[in-house]
Amino acid sequence: ELLISADTLPAALLLLGLLAISFVAVTFSSVPPACEIENERCPPLPKRDFTLAELGEFDGSVPNTPIVLALNGRVFNVSSARGMYGSGGCYQTLAGRDASRMLAKGILEPETGDEAAVPLSPSELQTRDLWLEHYEYKYEFVGLVLDETGTRSRGASEGSGGTRRLSGSELHPPARHPL
């Protein structure tokens, strides 16, 4: 007895065709996944302070240049994860900017002016602080954020300078994003 009847033959052929197309597309595609972490040497970036405008120069849109993001007044070199933060990466919107509010809120698109005017909730502040611990552990600290007058922005401090390594129960970055 046949497993495929005349009634199910068109659906079976359609399914087989879709599987064949998917196999060919995945097997012969030369485009790497957007979130693939590349094992490449981080471009050197001397330690210095950055204005918000200067952060934008390091947004990952130019190949072979450093990529940075700011979090709570601290600037981190995230070039080691160019596949995630660089052009076409799933976290590209965080690069080259102060990503504090986006990380605190778990969003990947910048807020409108009205949304940004609303203070962060206590739980969002806690989430931001957990992300800060994560970035201090995983990425190189390269400087602080300066305001328009050239002074360090509120919340910016030298802190551990990126040398502190968290361990065990100290490290609890939010598990929903592999940043």
Side-chain angles (χ1 to χ4, degrees):
E1 184 175 320
L2 295 174
L3 295 175
I4 300 175
S5 67
D7 295 337
T8 60
L9 184 60
L13 289 175
L14 178 64
L15 180 61
L16 184 60
L18 290 174
L19 286 172
I21 290 170
S22 296
F23 175 77
V24 170
V26 169
T27 304
F28 298 105
S29 174
S30 62
V31 179
C35 282
E36 179 177 288
I37 298 175
E38 298 173 7
N39 293 323
E40 64 179 44
R41 187 176 165 279
C42 297
L45 187 63
K47 285 190 173 28
R48 67 181 187 92
D49 294 340
F50 297 80
T51 65
L52 290 176
E54 289 171 329
L55 288 176
E57 298 172 18
F58 301 95
D59 66 356
S61 61
V62 179
N64 302 318
T65 60
I67 304 171
V68 302
L69 68 76
L71 177 56
N72 203 27
R74 298 172 55 80
V75 180
F76 297 94
N77 183 348
V78 296
S79 303
S80 61
R82 181 171 297 279
M84 291 193 301
Y85 294 98
S87 184
C90 53
Y91 301 120
Q92 179 183 5
T93 57
L94 299 174
R97 70 173 64 237
D98 181 349
S100 300
R101 290 186 61 90
M102 294 169 70
L103 288 167
K105 291 179 161 287
I107 58 176
L108 292 175
E109 292 298 323
E111 298 175 292
T112 65
D114 289 341
E115 292 169 333
V118 176
L120 294 174
S121 71
S123 67
E124 290 168 336
L125 291 170
Q126 183 180 23
T127 298
R128 182 201 61 198
D129 293 344
L130 290 172
W131 278 118
L132 180 60
E133 287 182 8
H134 175 73
Y135 277 84
E136 285 178 335
Y137 174 77
K138 189 168 183 177
Y139 298 107
E140 178 190 13
F141 166 78
V142 292
L144 300 173
V145 176
L146 302 174
D147 65 16
E148 303 80 36
T149 66
T151 58
R152 290 184 174 162
S153 66
R154 187 172 45 106
S157 67
E158 289 287 344
S160 62
T163 59
R164 180 172 179 243
R165 292 291 184 246
L166 304 176
S167 62
S169 63
E170 286 186 289
L171 181 60
H172 300 288
R176 63 182 176 266
H177 297 295
L179 302 176

